[in-house]
């Protein structure tokens, strides 16, 4: 398609190997599944909650289901996909932990991107003004925002550890989707990264339960 | 059929001397499938789309109706440059088994020389689909590019995908469900009882009496027609508006007669319907819908019906359809998810009710055209 793809979606597309089975949750206009289908020969499908987007995307010939992350993932069988993608949506779902569990049940790997609530501007605004931060990433007032579960990069690392997910790759990116140079230092990434992008894999039960030597 | 109507239309058909084994266990001695085709079959026989019609539809999907002269019933969907583009696809539409437009049905003569009438064996949606399969093979087609249909046509689409998964590349069930609900069976039963209560029904053997159960069938159609519309659509079209008649103009009140516009509309629907439809066919086909329960054929588990399916699905519902509400379509889509099938699912926002699939719904037409074009790319069909 002529339309330019969001940079973070391009980064995600590059993480997916050719021919993979992919589910994009919250696929909006289908840019990622279109890219994956056309350039990587993937079997890419989408779920989207906004019916107008679903209508437009199906009318472009892309396979999209009307549905949402909180209630529709349970209807997919185990390991139906190689990659399950959730971009910029985790903070807006009802039960993020459950959504991640479902993603790693139906997919071998999960790719998750979310806006980082640990960014220095967010911290500074709350500290300085005593009010809920409003930045270019967190752009809506607290009573209007759909982002009911904000988290920081550090929070996310801790959740992955609790749930037993292996973080295979991660990077911090700025609002434009460009990689930030904080790759080696998660505490700096947590301070300076506007968005985060993670690739997770469930540690297989066989390994998790391996007896300690 | 009414006597005196130009009934002797020759419907194009294929005759299968080996008949058809029905789900009820009866062997039909001979099977006739009436059909129409539009467009050209390509050399690879890979561009065929089967359109499945609804309860009272027929095979004349792409041309004026030979009996009524009315425009094709899916005029905005099937034709050159339309979503189901006859310049590109070879479109097939059959009259369903049990119908009255040339396919084997209750108004046919049976081997003993009488007409079947109510003795016509009960048929199922799967029987209809098996009859269509024979026709598709007769036309030299192994795999259909797509099967598309709304309402009862959508039931056939689901049945096709479940019964012949390797012979359907894409399936578009519209405004339908995987089973007929108690409410829908109830409405069908009211219609059937209206037919039975008509003295001219004569136990189903009315063909030689010179009369037809037009009053009963008309009432059946009126009841059914209400279920095809939404409350909003009825309000929008008719509200409480009165007919233009002398008594009402003078401020009088009448108990009966032509009073509200909505009554007059329904009566018109009833009276035009009985001129083109056979009452026994109506009984047979409504019963086939009632029997439909795709999950029941697979141990009560709908996903099993689609296990391992290679077919690409596009499930479409309408927001104001209360006969086949969106929840039913969503249940089908979720069952397809469970089967790891490739499925798109869209609800079209409209106030036109169940009938929306037959009407001017630009979103529906865009979705259909786009979905088929996307599938054509995957199927390697040349543009």
């Amino acid at each position: 398609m002529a339309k330019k793809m969001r940079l973070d979606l391009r980064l995600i597309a590059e993480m997916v190997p050719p021919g993979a089975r992919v589910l994009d949750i919250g696929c909006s206009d289908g840019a990622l599944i279109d890219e994956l289908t056309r350039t990587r020969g993937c079997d890419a499908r989408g779920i989207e909650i906004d019916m107008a987007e679903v209508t437009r995307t199906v009318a472009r010939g892309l396979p999209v289901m009307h549905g949402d992350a909180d209630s529709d993932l349970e209807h997919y069988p185990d390991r139906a996909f190689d990659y399950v993608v959730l971009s910029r949506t985790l903070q807006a779902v009802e039960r993020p932990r459950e959504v991640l569990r479902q993603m790693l049940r139906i997919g071998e790997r999960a790719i998750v991107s979310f806006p980082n609530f640990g960014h220095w501007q967010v911290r500074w605004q709350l500290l300085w003004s005593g009010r809920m931060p409003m930045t270019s990433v967190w752009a809506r007032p607290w009573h209007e925002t759909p982002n009911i579960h904000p988290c920081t990069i550090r929070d996310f690392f801790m959740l992955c550890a609790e749930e037993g997910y292996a973080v295979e790759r991660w990077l911090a990116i700025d609002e434009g989707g460009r990689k930030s140079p904080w790759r080696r230092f998660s505490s700096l990434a947590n301070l300076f990264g506007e968005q985060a992008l993670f690739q997770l894999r469930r540690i297989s039960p066989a390994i998790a339960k391996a007896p300690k030597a | 059929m009414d006597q005196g109507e130009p009934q002797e239309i020759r419907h194009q058909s294929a005759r299968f001397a080996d008949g058809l084994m029905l789900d009820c266990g009866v062997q039909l001695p001979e099977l006739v499938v009436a059909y129409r085709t539009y467009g050209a079959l390509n050399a690879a026989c890979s561009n065929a789309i089967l359109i499945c019609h609804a309860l009272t539809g027929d095979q004349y999907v792409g041309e004026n109706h030979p009996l009524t002269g009315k425009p094709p019933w899916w005029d905005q969907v099937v034709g050159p440059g339309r979503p189901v583009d006859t310049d590109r696809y070879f479109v097939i539409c059959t009259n369903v088994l049990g119908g009255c437009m040339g396919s084997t049905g209750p108004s046919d003569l049976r081997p003993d020389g009488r007409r079947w009438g109510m003795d016509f064996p009960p048929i199922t949606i799967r029987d209809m689909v098996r009859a269509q399969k024979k026709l598709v093979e007769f036309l030299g087609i192994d795999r259909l590019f797509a099967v598309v249909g709304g309402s009862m046509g959508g039931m056939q689409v689901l049945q096709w995908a479940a019964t012949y998964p390797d012979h359907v590349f894409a399936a578009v069930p519209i405004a339908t469900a995987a089973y007929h609900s108690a409410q829908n069976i109830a409405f069908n039963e009211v219609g059937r009882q209206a037919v039975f209560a008509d003295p001219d029904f004569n136990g189903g053997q009315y063909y030689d009496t010179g009369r037809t159960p037009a009053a009963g069938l008309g009432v059946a159609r009126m009841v059914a027609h209400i279920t095809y519309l939404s409350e909003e659509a009825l309000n929008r079209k008719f509200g409480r508006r009165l007919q233009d008649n002398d008594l009402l103009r003078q401020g009088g009140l009448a108990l009966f007669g032509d009073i509200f516009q909505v009554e007059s509309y329904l009566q018109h629907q009833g009276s035009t319907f009985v001129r083109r439809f056979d009452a026994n066919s109506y009984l047979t086909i409504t019963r086939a819908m009632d029997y439909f329960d795709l999950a029941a054929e697979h141990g009560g588990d709908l996903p099993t019906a689609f296990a391992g399916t290679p077919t690409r699905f596009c499930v479409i519902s309408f927001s104001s359809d209360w006969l086949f509400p969106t929840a039913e379509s969503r249940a089908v889509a979720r069952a397809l998810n469970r089967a790891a099938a490739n499925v798109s699912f869209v609800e079209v926002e409209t106030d036109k009710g169940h009938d929306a699939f037959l009407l001017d719904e630009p979103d529906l037409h865009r979705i259909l055209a786009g979905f088929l074009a996307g599938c054509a790319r995957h199927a390697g069909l040349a543009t």
Side-chain angles (χ1 to χ4, degrees):
Chain A
M1 297 286 140
K3 223 164 87 177
K4 245 187 138 191
M5 198 164 63
R6 250 168 43 201
L7 277 164
D8 62 318
L9 292 183
R10 187 156 300 285
L11 287 175
I12 292 171
E14 285 163 8
M15 294 163 83
V16 176
R21 297 167 303 161
V22 182
L23 180 67
D24 183 8
I25 305 162
C27 63
S28 60
D29 66 356
L32 180 65
I33 54 176
D34 186 35
E35 171 80 9
L36 290 173
T37 307
R38 281 186 307 110
T39 67
R40 305 202 153 227
C42 292
D43 174 1
R45 309 169 190 179
I47 296 181
E48 172 56 45
I49 196 166
D50 179 345
M51 195 63 83
E53 290 273 36
V54 178
T55 303
R56 276 193 293 274
T57 311
V58 176
R60 282 173 53 210
L62 297 168
V64 176
M65 274 274 302
H66 178 254
D68 76 84
D70 281 304
S71 57
D72 282 284
L73 300 185
E74 65 189 80
H75 302 292
Y76 290 85
D78 294 357
R79 303 189 181 219
F81 300 95
D82 300 311
Y83 286 81
V84 180
V85 177
L86 185 73
S87 66
R88 301 196 187 187
T89 305
L90 186 71
Q91 76 286 351
V93 304
E94 291 274 346
R95 292 166 296 149
R97 179 198 289 255
E98 180 60 20
V99 167
L100 279 172
R101 282 179 187 163
Q102 290 290 347
M103 288 174 71
L104 282 158
R105 178 185 65 79
I106 67 180
E108 290 292 331
R109 290 187 166 84
I111 297 177
V112 183
S113 80
F114 57 88
N116 174 28
F117 206 74
H119 188 261
W120 69 269
Q121 283 182 321
V122 173
R123 301 190 199 193
W124 174 249
Q125 281 196 22
L126 184 58
L127 182 68
W128 184 249
S129 69
R131 298 191 57 195
M132 281 300 281
M134 298 238 326
T135 67
S136 56
V137 179
W138 303 94
R140 297 168 77 170
W142 64 272
H143 45 85
E144 299 295 333
T145 182
N147 300 323
I148 52 177
H149 288 122
C151 74
T152 69
I153 288 176
R154 196 165 168 196
D155 286 327
F156 194 77
F157 267 111
M158 293 185 73
L159 180 65
C160 291
E162 276 172 35
E163 295 287 297
Y165 306 143
V167 177
E168 292 192 321
R169 306 167 70 174
W170 72 275
L171 46 99
I173 47 184
D174 68 17
E175 175 57 7
R178 284 169 292 270
K179 295 179 208 182
S180 300
W182 318 114
R183 175 68 187 83
R184 296 280 162 214
F185 309 98
S186 64
S187 57
L188 286 180
N190 197 25
L191 197 54
F192 294 111
E194 287 176 307
Q195 312 254 352
L197 181 57
F198 279 73
Q199 177 177 309
L200 311 178
R201 187 187 180 110
R202 185 181 35 186
I203 295 168
S204 75
I207 295 169
K209 283 181 198 153
K212 288 183 182 100
Chain B
M1 272 306 143
D2 284 16
Q3 304 296 306
E5 286 289 331
Q7 230 283 85
E8 296 316 314
I9 290 168
R10 295 277 306 160
H11 300 288
Q12 180 184 9
S13 62
R15 194 171 293 269
F16 300 94
D18 57 341
L20 186 72
M21 186 61 171
L22 302 172
D23 273 336
C24 65
V26 173
Q27 168 80 29
L28 276 181
E30 184 192 54
L31 172 69
V32 177
V33 179
Y35 68 100
R36 295 293 294 155
T37 69
Y38 310 90
L41 187 62
N42 63 12
C45 299
S46 60
N47 68 334
I49 295 183
L50 177 71
I51 303 286
C52 301
H53 68 72
L55 167 59
T56 64
D58 53 45
Q59 66 271 40
Y60 296 103
V61 64
E63 65 200 292
N64 287 349
H65 198 276
L67 203 64
T68 65
K70 283 189 177 168
W73 61 264
W74 225 1
D75 203 13
Q76 303 190 51
V77 167
V78 178
R82 304 279 157 79
V84 178
D85 188 347
T86 50
D87 287 339
R88 187 172 185 197
Y89 305 114
F90 178 64
V91 175
I92 308 162
C93 190
T94 77
N95 183 214
V96 293
L97 177 64
C100 52
M101 283 292 153
S103 287
T104 300
S107 54
D108 286 341
L109 294 173
R110 57 186 194 188
D112 67 3
R114 297 180 65 216
R115 297 197 189 263
W116 283 102
M118 280 183 82
D119 294 334
F120 193 72
I123 57 160
T124 63
I125 298 292
R126 187 161 58 182
D127 292 330
M128 293 177 182
V129 165
R130 286 190 182 120
Q132 290 165 344
K133 181 71 163 63
K134 288 179 88 108
L135 179 85
V136 168
E137 285 171 6
F138 165 81
L139 294 172
I141 297 156
D142 177 54
R143 189 175 69 166
L144 290 162
F145 167 63
V147 184
V148 181
S151 196
M152 186 185 82
M155 293 177 169
Q156 294 162 62
V157 173
L158 293 172
Q159 187 76 64
W160 259 97
T163 311
Y164 305 111
D166 296 324
H167 301 272
V168 182
F169 187 81
V172 188
I174 304 169
T176 193
Y179 65 95
H180 219 211
S181 71
Q183 179 174 273
N184 293 5
I185 295 169
F187 278 113
N188 272 353
E189 180 59 7
V190 172
R192 285 188 291 260
Q193 288 299 331
V195 172
F196 295 146
D198 187 328
D200 287 335
F201 181 62
N202 193 32
Q205 284 298 341
Y206 48 81
Y207 299 104
D208 302 322
T209 64
R211 304 187 62 80
T212 63
L217 185 60
V219 170
R221 176 63 169 175
M222 287 167 75
V223 172
H225 202 82
I226 299 168
T227 69
Y228 303 152
L229 303 172
S230 67
E231 187 181 3
E232 306 97 284
L234 278 175
N235 275 331
R236 176 165 47 76
K237 284 168 89 162
F238 308 107
R240 294 186 43 79
R241 282 191 292 283
L242 302 172
Q243 288 294 92
D244 186 23
N245 86 28
D246 286 341
L247 177 68
L248 295 172
R249 242 196 321 275
Q250 289 154 16
L253 292 177
L255 193 51
F256 302 111
D258 212 9
I259 301 176
F260 289 96
Q261 284 184 6
V262 66
E263 299 171 333
S264 157
Y265 169 80
L266 281 180
Q267 282 159 17
H268 174 76
Q269 290 296 329
S271 64
T272 53
F273 177 65
V274 300
R275 281 184 230 136
R276 68 175 176 90
F277 217 86
D278 175 61
N280 283 315
S281 274
Y282 195 83
L283 300 177
T284 299
I285 299 171
T286 54
R287 201 41 118 187
M289 292 179 80
D290 293 352
Y291 282 133
F292 185 62
D293 183 352
L294 196 50
E297 290 172 22
H298 296 85
D301 184 51
L302 190 55
T304 309
F306 302 111
T309 181
T311 304
R312 302 171 81 90
F313 291 84
C314 184
V315 180
I316 306 171
S317 68
F318 299 100
S319 57
S320 54
D321 184 349
W322 54 276
L323 194 62
F324 290 93
T326 289
E328 306 275 18
S329 284
R330 193 182 295 281
V332 170
R334 285 177 170 169
L336 287 163
N337 283 153
R338 283 193 198 281
N342 188 310
V343 52
S344 298
F345 165 54
V346 195
E347 178 195 64
V348 173
E349 181 71 34
T350 175
D351 77 347
K352 298 196 188 92
H354 181 62
D355 253 359
F357 78 97
L358 297 167
L359 303 173
D360 182 22
E361 285 293 346
D363 274 351
L364 168 68
H365 303 154
R366 272 194 284 272
I367 290 162
L368 251 178
F371 174 74
L372 291 175
C375 289
R377 283 197 296 274
H378 285 281
L381 278 186
T383 42

